[in-house]
Amino acid sequence: EVQLVESGGGLVQPGGSLRLSCAASGFTFTSYWMHWVRQSPGKGLVWVSRVNDDGSSTNYADSVKGRFTISRDNAKNTLYLQMNSLRAEDTAVYYCTRVGSGRANDYWGQGTLVTVSS
Amino acid sequence: QSALTQPASVSGSPGQSITISCTGTSSDVGGYNYVSWYQQYPGKAPKLMISEVSNRPSGVPDRFSGSKSGNTASLTISGLQAEDEADYYCSSYISSSTLERVFGTGTKVTVL
């Protein structure tokens, strides 16, 4: 059974940092690209970032470029999102998702809530 | 790049059919057959319902179907059931130097 379990969310002050983790199991992690997608309270889904299967290529939404860093440790089957210089508008539930066939996000974690507030 | 445009809400009675539209541009929906649809219950993670415009993953009921014409994709729910009441989001791959995925604005489906 495919499982994606996020952790690392919480309350942080503006300008602060957090690192999210996503532990993957039930599939060959090294064969899949991964995304982070976020959802602000009461709002829609927004793509945040992508990493390819071996971690050599990444991409980011303009809103987080230069502040967030996506990475993966294939030996630990874990995806990360390092978030720096956090702003109030980064407040959201962050989902880890697997990119399956047809570039669809075929599996999602349960999400972890990040709240940026003083 | 703006979000794909979906109606805010669609409703129907049990047994009826409803269709949710998803309008983009030639750089996303119209340019690729990488349109997917997601169902989300309140407080839960999204679930993939349709990939590559019209492919249904294993376990998704066949009353869910997808199609595309030009820059607009559609999700049809036939034989609407109470459990279909949820939020639905479309998504597309996008050709851009930065953005790789764009989501729709979301549609609340209400079963009357």
Side-chain angles (χ1 to χ4, degrees):
Chain A
E1 177 193 6
V2 172
Q3 284 198 321
L4 298 169
V5 180
E6 301 97 335
S7 60
L11 174 63
V12 61
Q13 292 187 338
S17 299
L18 274 180
R19 188 176 84 153
L20 306 183
S21 300
C22 171
S25 61
F27 66 101
T28 304
F29 185 63
T30 54
S31 296
Y32 291 87
W33 291 27
M34 300 293 293
H35 285 175
W36 286 100
V37 174
R38 70 185 182 184
Q39 186 171 35
S40 299
K43 303 296 185 181
L45 302 170
V46 176
W47 177 80
V48 173
S49 184
R50 181 271 295 164
V51 63
N52 70 341
D53 49 3
D54 65 6
S56 63
S57 173
T58 60
N59 205 356
Y60 302 90
D62 284 343
S63 58
V64 306
K65 192 172 296 183
R67 301 187 299 121
F68 289 13
T69 302
I70 190 172
S71 63
R72 63 193 294 163
D73 185 336
N74 283 347
K76 295 182 178 180
N77 286 355
T78 302
L79 175 73
Y80 301 101
L81 185 67
Q82 177 66 45
M83 305 185 296
N84 299 330
S85 303
L86 282 161
R87 306 166 180 167
E89 54 263 36
D90 296 319
T91 294
V93 173
Y94 286 74
Y95 294 103
C96 158
T97 81
R98 190 182 85 168
V99 183
S101 63
R103 307 197 191 200
N105 299 93
D106 60 356
Y107 287 93
W108 297 63
Q110 84 286 355
T112 187
L113 176 62
V114 172
T115 302
V116 184
S117 175
S118 55
Chain B
Q1 173 63 39
S2 300
L4 305 175
T5 301
Q6 297 180 232
S9 63
V10 174
S11 62
S13 298
Q16 287 187 329
S17 293
I18 62 169
T19 297
I20 303 168
S21 61
C22 169
T23 302
T25 69
S26 58
S27 294
D28 40 65
V29 174
Y32 307 92
N33 286 326
Y34 293 131
V35 176
S36 48
W37 289 89
Y38 303 87
Q39 177 190 65
Q40 186 181 35
Y41 293 114
K44 300 297 185 181
K47 174 188 175 184
L48 177 66
M49 303 301 283
I50 296 286
S51 67
E52 295 180 270
V53 176
S54 60
N55 290 344
R56 226 177 13 255
S58 174
V60 173
D62 60 7
R63 64 179 183 274
F64 290 87
S65 62
S67 62
K68 190 185 84 166
S69 177
N71 296 338
T72 298
S74 299
L75 174 71
T76 297
I77 308 175
S78 305
L80 196 62
Q81 297 186 8
E83 68 214 51
D84 300 331
E85 184 163 300
D87 293 325
Y88 292 83
Y89 293 90
C90 62
S91 180
S92 175
Y93 172 76
I94 179 169
S95 173
S96 164
S97 61
T98 54
L99 192 62
E100 290 193 9
R101 181 67 52 82
V102 61
F103 286 91
T105 50
T107 298
K108 169 66 177 178
V109 169
T110 300
V111 181
L112 301 172

